[in-house]
Amino acid sequence: MKKTGHSLLPSLLTLALLLGSTKADPHPLQDYCIADTSKPFYLNGAPCIDPKLAASSHFTTAALSKPGNTKATPYGFSVKVTNVTNLPGLNTMGLTMARVDLDPNGLVPLHSHPRASEVTICIRGSLLVGFVNTSNYVFTQLLRPGESFVFPRGLIHFLYNMETMDSALAVSGLSSQSPGTQIAAVAAFTSKPSMPDEVLKKSFQISNQDITRIRRNLGG
């Protein structure tokens, strides 16, 4: 029987080259594509208005000028982001900006962005930040105002306000206009429909009572 190892090599090399050249978002084919959010259909991004109708207002927003409601979650944080609704000129540009407000000892819990890397700069306060790599090694850093930290795409990470009396503020840039966000605990314990109890018990080595308590605490 013929060996097929050599015949597979060109295909594997081609696949490696294709994967290596992929980007978080496709490059735009024009100077800009002002989002037309009135269209009732879905596509990878948003349809464009006629470029001749573009105005300066399409490229500016005050969406991040004021803090969000940090009391809306039990963790004491708020995230406000730019998107194609509040900043139509962002469409196809492959980026998102986020304002992160944290109460004293507030936490942005363990979460990931499946479609984006993230760079965070501490504006006010003292932020403990970190991520876990696929070898389960934790990288952490205490950020002071003006200092930055990068979270690699898809890896679980967190931000924690070390101050016990004062709030903290950070601004993040993400490498996709639709980075996606999945909070680990919320995804596991408040999914709809519910994750099977046996899966949770074996995954986290907990009891039925633990599952009920955690779901209740998270609002599930």
Side-chain angles (χ1 to χ4, degrees):
M1 188 170 80
K2 274 190 174 182
K3 293 183 179 179
T4 59
H6 291 298
S7 62
L8 289 174
L9 185 58
S11 297
L12 293 174
L13 288 173
T14 301
L15 178 60
L17 288 171
L18 289 172
L19 291 175
S21 64
T22 56
K23 305 295 181 183
D25 287 342
H27 292 299
L29 299 179
Q30 60 281 321
D31 289 342
Y32 45 79
C33 173
I34 308 302
D36 183 355
T37 56
S38 66
K39 293 295 188 293
F41 56 86
Y42 295 93
L43 68 163
N44 200 21
C48 313
I49 67 171
D50 186 335
K52 295 177 182 177
L53 300 178
S56 297
S57 59
H58 292 130
F59 300 96
T60 185
T61 182
L64 308 186
S65 62
K66 296 180 180 179
N69 180 15
T70 57
K71 308 303 181 185
T73 73
Y75 304 106
F77 82 97
S78 170
V79 176
K80 298 179 76 174
V81 300
T82 56
N83 53 48
V84 296
T85 300
N86 59 41
L87 188 57
L90 188 72
N91 193 38
T92 75
M93 295 299 161
L95 55 89
T96 294
M97 293 294 292
R99 173 184 177 136
V100 186
D101 290 277
L102 299 103
D103 286 341
N105 291 145
L107 171 72
V108 182
L110 295 170
H111 67 284
S112 63
H113 304 294
R115 295 182 290 275
S117 301
E118 177 180 2
V119 177
T120 295
I121 180 171
C122 178
I123 304 298
R124 183 179 68 244
S126 300
L127 287 177
L128 179 66
V129 299
F131 68 87
V132 185
N133 70 11
T134 55
S135 297
N136 291 329
Y137 185 86
V138 181
F139 295 85
T140 60
Q141 182 66 42
L142 181 63
L143 297 184
R144 303 292 185 183
E147 297 178 337
S148 302
F149 192 81
V150 62
F151 303 107
R153 175 180 175 178
L155 296 185
I156 291 176
H157 58 284
F158 68 90
L159 296 89
Y160 177 64
N161 182 9
M162 298 289 288
E163 301 287 346
T164 59
M165 301 295 292
D166 298 317
S167 60
L169 171 64
V171 173
S172 291
L174 299 102
S175 62
S176 171
Q177 77 177 56
S178 180
T181 299
Q182 190 168 49
I183 297 177
V186 173
F189 290 95
T190 69
S191 62
K192 303 295 181 186
S194 296
M195 190 77 69
D197 287 0
E198 286 303 315
V199 172
L200 295 175
K201 285 164 61 178
K202 289 183 179 294
S203 295
F204 296 98
Q205 296 297 291
I206 57 178
S207 66
N208 286 322
Q209 290 78 13
D210 293 326
I211 293 174
T212 301
R213 175 176 53 82
I214 295 170
R215 280 181 172 152
R216 182 174 61 248
N217 290 344
L218 294 177

